[in-house]
Amino acid sequence: MSKLESIESTYSRVAQDWNTPITHSGQWFKDSYGRTLLMRGINVCGSSKLPTSPYAGSTHLYDDILFWDHRNVSFVGRPFPLNEADEHFSRLRAWGLTLIRFLVPWESIEHSGPGLYDEEYIEYLRSLIELMPKYGLKCVIDPHQDTWSRFSGGSGAPGWTFEVAGLNIKHFKETGAAYVHNTNAVPGDPLPMVWPTNYTKLASCTMFTLFFAGDTFAPNRKYEGKSIQQFLNDSFINAYQHLATRLVDLESVLGFEFMNEPHPGYIGLNHLQEFDPIVNLIFGDSPSPLQSFALGDGIPQTVGVYIKSWPFPTKKSHDRVINASKTSVWLNNDCIWKQHGVWKVDQATDKPVLVDSNYFSKHPVTGDKVSFYDDFYVPLVNRYRAPVYKETDHHHNVVFSPHWYDLNCVFYKKFNGKITHDVQCLQRGGNVISATYFGQSGAKKNYRGQIKNIKQDGLRDMGDKPCILGEVGIPMDLNDKLAFTDNNYTSHVNFLDAVIYALETNLMNFTLWNYDVCNDHEYGDHWNGENFSIYSVKKAKRDYLEHDDGNSKLSKKHLYDGGRVLEAVLRPYASKIAGTPIESEFDLKNIKYTFSFIPFTKQQQTKLQERYNLIDRNACTTEIFVPYFHFGGKPLNIQINVGECDYDEEKQTLYHTYDRESMGPYVSPSTGARKVGGLASATRSPNVSNVFSRVRKNSTSASSSHHHRLQRLSSCEDWDEENIGETYAPHLISEYFKKYELMTEFINLKNPNHCPLGIYIMPSSENLNVWYGVLFVHQGYYRSGAFKFRVAIPESYPEYPPAVTFMSDMFHPLVDGGGNLSISQQFPTWRPYEDYIFHVLHYIKNIFKKAVLDRLVDKHCHNKEAYRLYRTDANIFGKLAQQCAQLSITESYLFDHFPDDNMIKFSPISEGKYGTYVKQL
């Protein structure tokens, strides 16, 4: 009997089965045989953020009595009823998604009150998790939250936590303290992009600030004899410690997260006049921090309302008055931030004013600058029994678990495979040229680079620890929900294929967002309008293969029913590797999977055998998940360069085994190499490589039947999307790209030495090619002037320079009667991609300096009389220049003299407010 003939007796598990103790060695997860694990799975599920009773917790529903009864709710049945668990766990096992990120919001276990735990729900969780070993599942408990709580527009914390802070949840709508879908949503709301704006609203910001730093920033407030921070911290930690004690004996529980996407609230804000639109989503009603304080204190405010726009994500549409009823959000009518001296009501004007705009950026007692991460986040995580994040003190059992989405596509809900943008690159100071990718291959390259950066950041910041990407996915309501009517999910397949390609080629463990049994086309995941689930009841038993040909037991279970975008989701992957993986890639277009790994060296074996059973034959066996969806019912074309393979279609598993002794002595790849195969994909040595594909008979994959092509704008010639990114210079692509180029130039003005001191500039609210600015001159002939100007950027920029026009009367040699500035002396020949707008801004400032005036040449001057006077009578020139300066700061010019699309506006202030600003400065 050969080694492979005994497969049934040797292999009792399938590739995606995790019924093994899981530990880690360095950055890799390990099973009991020391094999390297690459795990993938899914979040279960989005609707677990909401209770099941006393009424269905979908956020589009509202009951004026039941909604507010937050102490008497139940989450039993989330994510699905116990009697349906076998169906869903079977499906996830068949799909190869067997690592479950299990959402358990704080509210679900402690909604009745502090220290009162819902034992019925915990028992339900136990029963559900006890079923997991039957399907080879492992789970990570996720204390999920979004914007703190359901009652502040998200999910997570119990309603009573607001009472601890002194907040009245029934007054959030009237005071603008939160946007809650249940109470606020009206037809036409641009869901689901409203809910993240709660991170800039009073309720969420206050709760996060108190939770992480209440002892520092609100020490005077107590609850039941404790500081608010300690009361909230104790309650949160005790609740999950209690849950852990109830689940500790269950073999499927891999670990606990600390908190989903924790937020600093107000902590670290350098000022409180406004929120930074680069960091925060400014959308819908957008009060500033000061306005939020005033609204909560019962003072009506006129607040800007923002809508989606291009190229900036949002722009101001109009203003509206909030809290005309003068309602207070505070149970005792005493704002906690006013009590602690952050703001006050000016007695002379009866208007809210900031007392200490830097309050949350420094320690109120010591004055030292604070760090949310070092001073508040890490100490609390340590209390939660997690690691100390120091280079010399990494906790052994910590795992790096970041999240990633293509934020551009998620916000605009668009993906056509023609162009994608690296938002991560832009956030890190990159330029649009390097952050723009074309075609499907460009999207894959884009996403692969971003995921690589995230993985490297984790290894740098946390040490040699495993990484599980906790959330990653795509919205299913892309492109105006067109797929819901024509059932063409090609764009979705291409989108998710690019995303998962980036994950697998970076050898990442990950859990997709998400699998939601409540999902339907109308309400999505039933939470704030989101629609990410790869399962939908609208597709159940209708669209996907039922496999009733009798060739597999899978055919009788309809486990593909309800699946969405399964062409991209169900893909091969090596799950248990008898060595170190170095390459993993699935080619969806050709239904081909390539995998390579390096067998453990003698030195590695010696180290591993101290902890793992390397004698067992399984230690030399690699298991690869081969989804029946793509490969079932067809012979496989398997190519290997060492060892033996066997394929069990029923188990959806390809087994590869090699004889460790026959492999000979190996040396580390860093010091030498030994070639063991002839495949092109197997040139890294010493290694083992597997390449296999489905044998196709005049067939194509579902995703390749719609081949996108990208047309060059300058001709009718078609360009293959696979090569478009390398074919021609990106700055010739489209006006779409040029808008991004301009947007990045503007964003980069915040970089050192880009925007000159004394100049303030903003794009027009209507047209990105028009920027409005103001220059404050403090010395010289034009001292005390506040000169407004407009920068008109031609469509042909950067091939041609921008034009600058001053908007108030200007007597200057370089400025004509219409206010047009001559820049030809500084830029005799405009150099595209060498000369930029910020260079022009510096010149605008410099033309008022004596050194520049002295060097002016007649031929470059528009105003010959001004040029003559400066040369012959500096005294008269100076008087005329001062007239311009004084005219620029008159009320008629300063307050009223601007176009409607100019977002830089001046308004008068009282003497009291002026004194406050001077004191702050």
Side-chain angles (χ1 to χ4, degrees):
M1 179 183 295
S2 71
K3 295 178 182 178
L4 295 176
E5 286 175 337
S6 62
I7 190 167
E8 284 298 327
S9 60
T10 304
Y11 304 114
S12 60
R13 302 185 180 98
V14 297
Q16 69 274 33
D17 183 335
W18 303 122
N19 284 333
T20 176
I22 295 178
T23 57
H24 81 87
S25 176
Q27 63 177 291
W28 303 110
F29 287 110
K30 296 288 185 179
D31 69 2
S32 58
Y33 305 111
R35 293 182 295 184
T36 303
L37 307 182
L38 290 177
M39 310 172 74
R40 61 181 61 179
I42 195 132
N43 283 261
V44 180
C45 66
S47 60
S48 292
K49 305 173 183 183
L50 308 166
T52 53
S53 66
Y55 76 108
S58 302
T59 56
H60 63 276
L61 301 176
Y62 174 69
D63 185 290
D64 194 43
I65 297 176
L66 297 179
F67 177 74
W68 304 109
D69 189 13
H70 55 81
R71 292 178 182 264
N72 296 305
V73 298
S74 174
F75 284 71
V76 173
R78 296 292 191 203
F80 34 71
L82 197 60
N83 60 6
E84 298 178 7
D86 287 303
E87 173 194 346
H88 297 297
F89 286 163
S90 295
R91 180 174 288 115
L92 292 176
R93 174 187 172 97
W95 291 2
L97 302 175
T98 45
L99 175 61
I100 308 301
R101 185 171 182 251
F102 208 81
L103 275 68
V104 183
W106 183 7
E107 182 187 12
S108 68
I109 54 179
E110 200 179 8
H111 50 79
S112 296
L116 303 176
Y117 305 126
D118 190 334
E119 296 297 343
E120 181 186 7
Y121 174 68
I122 294 174
E123 190 58 38
Y124 157 79
L125 288 181
R126 279 190 59 86
S127 299
L128 202 61
I129 296 172
E130 282 174 342
L131 292 173
M132 289 184 178
K134 178 181 176 182
Y135 303 96
L137 307 180
K138 279 283 195 288
C139 73
V140 174
I141 303 300
D142 165 30
H144 203 89
Q145 74 79 34
D146 305 274
T147 70
W148 185 258
S149 168
R150 282 194 299 135
F151 299 97
S152 50
S155 65
W160 55 259
T161 59
F162 294 103
E163 298 170 8
V164 172
L167 289 164
N168 186 338
I169 59 176
K170 291 187 177 182
H171 292 173
F172 285 177
K173 178 180 180 180
E174 183 65 21
T175 60
Y179 180 98
V180 182
H181 189 184
N182 304 75
T183 59
N184 292 54
V186 296
D189 270 355
L191 295 170
M193 295 312 301
V194 179
W195 73 263
T197 65
N198 285 303
Y199 282 117
T200 63
K201 291 186 168 61
L202 180 66
S204 177
C205 282
T206 294
M207 293 308 301
F208 278 114
T209 304
L210 294 176
F211 182 77
F212 285 107
D215 289 352
T216 300
F217 295 114
N220 299 332
R221 282 288 181 94
K222 308 291 183 183
Y223 187 83
E224 295 188 359
K226 289 184 178 181
S227 69
I228 294 179
Q229 177 183 343
Q230 292 309 313
F231 190 91
L232 292 173
N233 291 173
D234 290 348
S235 297
F236 175 77
I237 292 171
N238 292 341
Y240 283 100
Q241 284 184 342
H242 176 77
L243 180 64
T245 61
R246 295 293 312 278
L247 304 181
V248 67
D249 61 314
L250 301 181
E251 61 179 281
S252 286
V253 178
L254 186 61
F256 277 66
E257 291 187 10
F258 166 63
M259 177 185 285
N260 178 71
E261 298 174 0
H263 193 269
Y266 294 123
I267 302 168
L269 289 183
N270 291 323
H271 62 80
L272 299 171
Q273 285 92 352
E274 62 182 1
F275 288 102
D276 184 351
I278 302 299
V279 177
N280 302 283
L281 177 62
I282 308 301
F283 194 36
D285 293 338
S286 301
S288 68
L290 176 60
Q291 286 182 313
S292 294
F293 300 153
L295 287 167
D297 208 40
I299 304 173
Q301 296 288 293
T302 300
V303 172
V305 180
Y306 286 71
I307 60 175
K308 281 187 178 181
S309 71
W310 172 259
F312 297 102
T314 65
K315 67 176 181 180
K316 185 177 178 181
S317 170
H318 60 281
D319 293 312
R320 81 178 189 96
V321 176
I322 296 180
N323 200 8
S325 64
K326 300 183 179 180
T327 301
S328 173
V329 79
W330 300 99
L331 293 170
N332 57 3
N333 294 318
D334 185 11
C335 172
I336 193 170
W337 305 125
K338 186 165 67 173
Q339 179 191 13
H340 284 85
V342 181
W343 72 285
K344 69 178 182 179
V345 177
D346 186 89
Q347 294 183 350
T349 64
D350 204 31
K351 301 290 186 182
V353 295
L354 289 168
V355 176
D356 187 353
S357 186
N358 311 117
Y359 183 80
F360 296 104
S361 66
K362 57 181 173 38
H363 196 288
V365 176
T366 66
D368 295 335
K369 186 175 179 62
V370 299
S371 163
F372 168 71
Y373 182 79
D374 293 324
D375 297 330
F376 306 111
Y377 177 75
V378 170
L380 185 55
V381 172
N382 287 333
R383 281 197 60 197
Y384 190 76
R385 299 289 185 261
V388 177
Y389 298 121
K390 301 295 181 184
E391 183 178 353
T392 57
D393 189 22
H394 286 292
H395 192 287
H396 181 68
N397 290 325
V398 69
V399 172
F400 179 46
S401 187
H403 297 174
W404 180 87
Y405 295 91
D406 182 334
L407 295 179
N408 184 65
C409 292
V410 168
F411 182 76
Y412 289 106
K413 294 295 186 72
K414 301 291 183 184
F415 183 89
N416 58 17
K418 294 180 180 180
I419 185 169
T420 57
H421 302 282
D422 185 347
V423 178
Q424 181 190 90
C425 173
L426 296 174
Q427 289 175 333
R428 298 183 181 199
N431 61 63
V432 172
I433 294 175
S434 61
T436 303
Y437 296 81
F438 301 93
Q440 182 71 7
S441 63
K444 289 182 174 181
K445 182 178 180 181
N446 176 8
Y447 300 158
R448 182 176 184 173
Q450 294 190 54
I451 299 301
K452 178 182 178 181
N453 291 338
I454 291 173
K455 186 174 183 178
Q456 289 178 339
D457 288 349
L459 292 172
R460 179 196 66 211
D461 297 337
M462 296 185 62
D464 204 20
K465 298 292 178 285
C467 177
I468 301 176
L469 200 71
E471 285 187 25
V472 58
I474 68 169
M476 296 295 171
D477 50 349
L478 287 172
N479 305 331
D480 301 317
K481 304 182 181 180
L482 186 60
F484 295 170
T485 56
D486 67 9
N487 204 36
N488 183 352
Y489 285 82
T490 301
S491 293
H492 302 68
V493 171
N494 290 338
F495 190 179
L496 193 56
D497 176 45
V499 170
I500 301 182
Y501 168 89
L503 299 169
E504 67 193 8
T505 54
N506 278 291
L507 305 173
M508 290 285 279
N509 307 282
F510 63 88
T511 51
L512 295 172
W513 185 270
N514 74 99
Y515 180 95
D516 197 320
V517 301
C518 297
N519 181 278
D520 56 51
H521 289 346
E522 185 174 4
Y523 298 112
D525 300 335
H526 284 240
W527 182 82
N528 287 344
E530 284 200 344
N531 196 335
F532 282 77
S533 178
I534 64 170
Y535 173 88
S536 177
V537 294
K538 285 295 184 183
K539 293 183 69 65
K541 298 183 180 179
R542 187 180 66 178
D543 294 332
Y544 278 93
L545 303 177
E546 293 187 353
H547 299 303
D548 56 359
D549 56 9
N551 291 333
S552 169
K553 293 179 181 178
L554 293 173
S555 65
K556 300 177 177 62
K557 298 181 180 178
H558 306 299
L559 294 181
Y560 300 111
D561 295 339
R564 298 198 289 193
V565 202
L566 294 188
E567 295 91 340
V569 174
L570 301 186
R571 53 209 294 131
Y573 68 96
S575 58
K576 303 162 187 170
I577 302 107
T580 303
I582 58 173
E583 179 184 17
S584 179
E585 178 181 341
F586 178 52
D587 178 355
L588 176 58
K589 183 177 180 179
N590 296 300
I591 314 298
K592 176 182 177 181
Y593 178 64
T594 303
F595 176 72
S596 301
F597 70 97
I598 302 174
F600 296 127
T601 65
K602 290 291 186 182
Q603 182 180 5
Q604 290 172 321
Q605 293 174 35
T606 301
K607 183 177 180 181
L608 288 171
Q609 67 186 8
E610 298 174 1
R611 299 174 58 193
Y612 304 106
N613 179 11
L614 299 189
I615 299 176
D616 193 287
R617 184 184 170 208
N618 281 303
C620 294
T621 300
T622 295
E623 300 177 19
I624 300 176
F625 173 70
V626 184
Y628 188 87
F629 184 89
H630 285 301
F631 296 90
K634 301 271 186 5
L636 294 188
N637 176 16
I638 303 172
Q639 303 173 37
I640 59 172
N641 62 347
V642 71
E644 299 178 84
C645 280
D646 197 88
Y647 171 52
D648 189 323
E649 182 179 277
E650 176 66 27
K651 293 182 178 180
Q652 301 187 100
T653 300
L654 177 72
Y655 303 94
H656 172 273
T657 187
Y658 67 90
D659 187 335
R660 184 176 288 142
E661 297 302 321
S662 67
M663 297 293 286
Y666 286 100
V667 294
S668 170
S670 61
T671 57
R674 177 175 178 269
K675 198 168 184 178
V676 296
L679 290 176
S681 60
T683 56
R684 299 176 182 86
S685 303
N687 71 4
V688 177
S689 177
N690 294 292
V691 181
F692 66 88
S693 60
R694 188 181 73 191
V695 177
R696 301 191 301 180
K697 299 179 180 179
N698 300 320
S699 63
T700 59
S701 68
S703 64
S704 62
S705 60
H706 302 277
H707 183 64
H708 291 291
R709 303 183 72 84
L710 189 62
Q711 192 176 67
R712 186 176 180 180
L713 295 178
S714 59
S715 72
C716 296
E717 181 181 0
D718 282 340
W719 296 75
D720 192 322
E721 65 174 358
E722 293 300 318
N723 300 311
I724 194 71
E726 295 78 30
T727 303
Y728 51 90
H731 65 273
L732 297 177
I733 297 295
S734 66
E735 297 307 313
Y736 182 85
F737 174 81
K738 287 180 177 291
K739 296 298 183 185
Y740 256 93
E741 198 170 40
L742 276 182
M743 181 175 67
T744 301
E745 275 208 54
F746 174 73
I747 292 173
N748 283 338
L749 288 179
K750 65 181 175 59
N751 293 335
N753 302 320
H754 274 225
C755 188
L757 290 174
I759 284 185
Y760 298 84
I761 193 162
M762 282 288 291
S764 159
S765 61
E766 304 295 336
N767 184 357
L768 184 62
N769 285 72
V770 177
W771 295 7
Y772 291 101
V774 60
L775 165 66
F776 294 92
V777 180
H778 299 292
Q779 56 187 353
Y781 292 108
Y782 297 88
R783 62 189 175 279
S784 301
F787 299 114
K788 297 179 183 179
F789 60 89
R790 179 179 64 247
V791 180
I793 305 161
E795 294 296 333
S796 54
Y797 179 84
E799 281 74 24
Y800 293 93
V804 179
T805 304
F806 285 93
M807 299 164 63
S808 59
D809 292 343
M810 175 65 66
F811 185 78
H812 191 285
L814 294 175
V815 180
D816 66 17
N820 300 304
L821 172 67
S822 168
I823 64 171
S824 60
Q825 182 162 331
Q826 180 68 16
F827 304 98
T829 300
W830 182 261
R831 302 167 301 173
Y833 297 103
E834 293 184 49
D835 295 326
Y836 290 95
I837 296 171
F838 79 87
H839 293 122
V840 176
L841 295 180
H842 279 276
Y843 189 56
I844 292 172
K845 178 178 180 178
N846 289 338
I847 66 169
F848 296 100
K849 296 179 178 180
K850 187 176 185 300
V852 173
L853 288 167
D854 288 344
R855 291 195 300 268
L856 290 180
V857 178
D858 178 85
K859 67 177 182 179
H860 297 295
C861 295
H862 287 330
N863 190 332
K864 304 299 184 182
E865 178 62 16
Y867 175 75
R868 184 189 65 79
L869 277 176
Y870 183 76
R871 292 286 181 178
T872 61
D873 197 334
N875 184 49
I876 293 177
F877 177 87
K879 290 180 179 180
L880 292 173
Q882 264 303 293
Q883 287 181 15
C884 292
Q886 294 305 312
L887 180 64
S888 72
I889 58 175
T890 59
E891 289 192 9
S892 60
Y893 274 93
L894 204 57
F895 301 146
D896 302 324
H897 199 71
F898 53 77
D900 290 339
D901 61 336
N902 183 358
M903 293 193 288
I904 300 179
K905 297 178 173 30
F906 290 81
S907 58
I909 61 173
S910 65
E911 288 295 329
K913 183 178 291 187
Y914 175 76
T916 300
Y917 289 157
V918 171
K919 189 179 297 183
Q920 290 174 352
L921 290 173

